[in-house]
Amino acid sequence: MRIGILTGGGDCPGLNAVIRAVAKSLMRQCQAEVIGIHDGFAGLMASTPRSHPLDWEQVSGILMRGGTILGTSNRANPLGNSAHLAQSLHNARQLGLDALVVIGGDGTMEIAHGLAEHGVPVVGVPKTIDNDIVGCERSFGFDTAVATVTDALERIQTTGQSHGRVMVVETMGRYAGWIALEAGLAGAADVILLPEIDYNVDLVAQLCRERETHQRFTVICVGEGAKPQGGQMTVERRIEGSPDPIRLGGVAHVLAAELQARVQSEVRATVLGHVQRGGSPTPFDRVLATQFGNQAAQLVMAGQFNRMVTLHQGQMASIPLRDVAHQHRNVPLDHPLLQAARQIGVCLGDAA
Ligand code: F6P
């Protein structure tokens, strides 16, 4: 068997752990040849495919390494036009691939599904720090991002406390608030603002003013997709050619300016950005990524294609790629963590 493997879309901690597990599992169990494709779909679409065979040594010692040894691309889309599609299908045949393992987020899974519909035997592995892939309880990379944001919130709290400031910390997460919610709780934020709950800036300001007289400081953890009631999300830039061209970012600055007009204390904003995607995966993410990689290898060996591996009720499982494409998973408004946050007095930006 000859199996291709690529990482698509934005990177996240744990990609190398998946590559290692897919390759080792296939090499050990069916003596497969594993071909690493470079820079996501860009390597598959190129006029000459960019790839190299992976051996046991190359996938050893990478479990804890951040990033991806294969490189990735957030723009390349074989479904973008018929020439790109034809080239990708031709390259998959030319490489002699019996299957292709695609590690990526919802955009990448959409492309994987499209390729599968054109006859490429594909298995998907969900990755994203955003934890927003439909049908998957936990994606690897998320736990690491939450740990990074939690650490940042702790540091922000001590300096905010010293100066008696309102500190606004912006997390990634796109249209879902999972990172802001879990890290906000773990990092003891006083206010947590999510894309799922539009915030009332007057209510947030009122809480900051109340705290000015007692605790002196306030820490606000805001997901990049959060928006004020009646307002819009803050778009930082557009990346043309990307499956989702919109890049969010900057809501912390917008909110800080709105709050500054309403409170006595100084208000400061910190946008954490790509620090949340870098570095070594946590032990949880290493284990999850290893399980996902091994599960993907099992699907390949069983000939179960056009599916994505997933975590369902704590167990490894798989679902059809078509169930994942064109969707993302938000924080449900009745999620127990939202309830717990409210019950311990965390402000979620609304009057509830
Ligand atoms: O989907 C992962 C993610 O890090 C989002 O949280 C963020 O909005 C986006 O990717 C940033 O993408 P880029 O690296 O292209 O700026």
Side-chain angles (χ1 to χ4, degrees), residues 221-241:
C221 179
V222 56
E224 63 183 356
K227 60 181 191 304
Q229 291 174 359
Q232 301 294 319
M233 289 187 185
T234 312
V235 175
E236 192 209 81
R237 69 181 71 204
R238 287 182 65 87
I239 310 266
E240 297 310 333

Side-chain angles (χ1 to χ4, degrees), residues 305-318:
F305 299 118
N306 207 355
R307 299 184 74 80
M308 183 189 81
V309 303
T310 186
L311 184 71
H312 179 64
Q313 296 179 344
Q315 303 292 322
M316 285 296 115
S318 72

Side-chain angles (χ1 to χ4, degrees), residues 138-144 281-291 311:
R138 210 84 171 164
S139 51
F140 66 87
F142 173 67
D143 187 66
T144 309
T282 58
F284 179 90
D285 278 339
R286 294 179 199 184
V287 173
L288 183 60
T290 300
Q291 285 179 291
L311 184 71

